């Protein structure tokens, strides 16, 4: 996950706009909406499909008593420092961004239920790793709020 965030921050993640520019893609438009040119900001923030996805994530977080009324563009791209449940929230944002990019690569629209299924698999894997390393307290801080 660190590698993904590093690539995102340094703009090493390819988009259709870039692929079109170098002659690899036939069109620069978004893999989700097909209307706007696909940039990192469009994929992760501005696309209608992405906005709906983030709204579902925020709604779900509120159901876990994590009070986030909205995610700013900066918070989506860089994370949320100094928030309540910082480790959990930032890990969730990162996993969500990876899921969005996964959908972009597969040319499928993001679906919150599918994201939750992926999150469940990650949670189970993290639990096994935490138990094997005797670090359940770190697991609890990272993913313990999730009751899937």
């Amino acid at each position: 996950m660190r590698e993904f965030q590093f690539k995102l921050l340094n703009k090493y993640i390819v988009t259709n706009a870039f692929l079109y520019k170098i002659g690899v893609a036939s069109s620069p438009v978004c893999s989700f909406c097909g209307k706007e040119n696909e940039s990192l900001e469009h994929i992760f923030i501005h696309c209608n499909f992405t906005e709906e996805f983030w709204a579902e994530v925020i709604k779900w977080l509120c159901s876990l008593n994590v009070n986030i009324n909205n995610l700013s563009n900066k918070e989506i791209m860089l994370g949320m420092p100094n928030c309540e449940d910082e480790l959990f929230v930032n890990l969730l944002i990162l996993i969500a961004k990876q899921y969005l990019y996964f959908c972009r690569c597969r040319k499928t629209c993001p679906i919150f239920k599918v994201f939750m299924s992926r999150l469940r698999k990650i949670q189970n894997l993290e639990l096994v790793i935490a138990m094997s390393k005797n670090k359940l307290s770190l697991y609890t801080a990272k993913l313990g709020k999730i009751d899937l």
Side-chain angles (χ1 to χ4, degrees):
M1 282 189 257
R2 287 183 199 168
E3 180 182 354
F4 178 81
Q5 184 68 9
F6 176 84
K7 287 180 177 182
L8 176 63
L9 293 175
N10 290 284
K11 299 189 178 201
Y12 291 149
I13 294 177
V14 297
T15 62
N16 283 343
F18 174 75
L19 293 173
Y20 180 74
K21 187 176 182 179
I22 64 170
V24 175
S26 59
S27 170
V29 299
C30 175
S31 300
F32 299 146
C33 68
K35 296 176 184 174
E36 301 288 328
N37 280 353
E38 187 177 87
S39 66
L40 293 176
E41 292 79 11
H42 182 76
I43 294 171
F44 294 110
I45 300 167
H46 301 299
C47 180
N48 292 338
F49 291 95
T50 303
E51 289 174 348
E52 290 175 25
F53 174 77
W54 286 119
E56 287 288 327
V57 169
I58 292 168
K59 181 179 170 186
W60 176 69
L61 283 170
C62 287
S63 76
L64 296 176
N65 294 319
V66 176
N67 296 319
I68 295 177
N69 298 326
N70 136 14
L71 285 169
S72 71
N73 298 351
K74 183 178 177 181
E75 290 167 339
I76 290 171
M77 296 304 276
L78 302 176
M80 293 186 74
N82 306 319
C83 71
E84 186 180 335
D85 301 308
E86 181 179 347
L87 187 59
F88 170 68
V89 170
N90 286 313
L91 180 61
L92 186 74
I93 290 170
L94 182 55
I95 292 168
K97 287 186 292 192
Q98 279 187 316
Y99 171 70
L100 288 170
Y101 193 70
F102 173 81
C103 290
R104 178 250 168 237
C105 292
R106 299 268 177 159
K107 298 198 183 307
T108 60
C109 291
I111 300 169
F112 184 72
K113 285 184 180 182
V114 176
F115 167 70
M116 291 302 292
S117 175
R118 284 179 68 95
L119 187 58
R120 199 171 297 117
K121 289 176 186 175
I122 291 168
Q123 182 188 28
N124 290 335
L125 179 60
E126 288 284 334
L127 179 59
V128 169
I129 293 169
M131 288 181 1
S132 72
K133 293 185 175 187
N134 198 23
K135 296 196 176 198
L136 283 174
S137 61
L138 181 59
Y139 165 81
T140 302
K142 284 169 52 176
L143 294 168
K145 283 187 108 27
I146 304 172
D147 184 23
L148 298 173

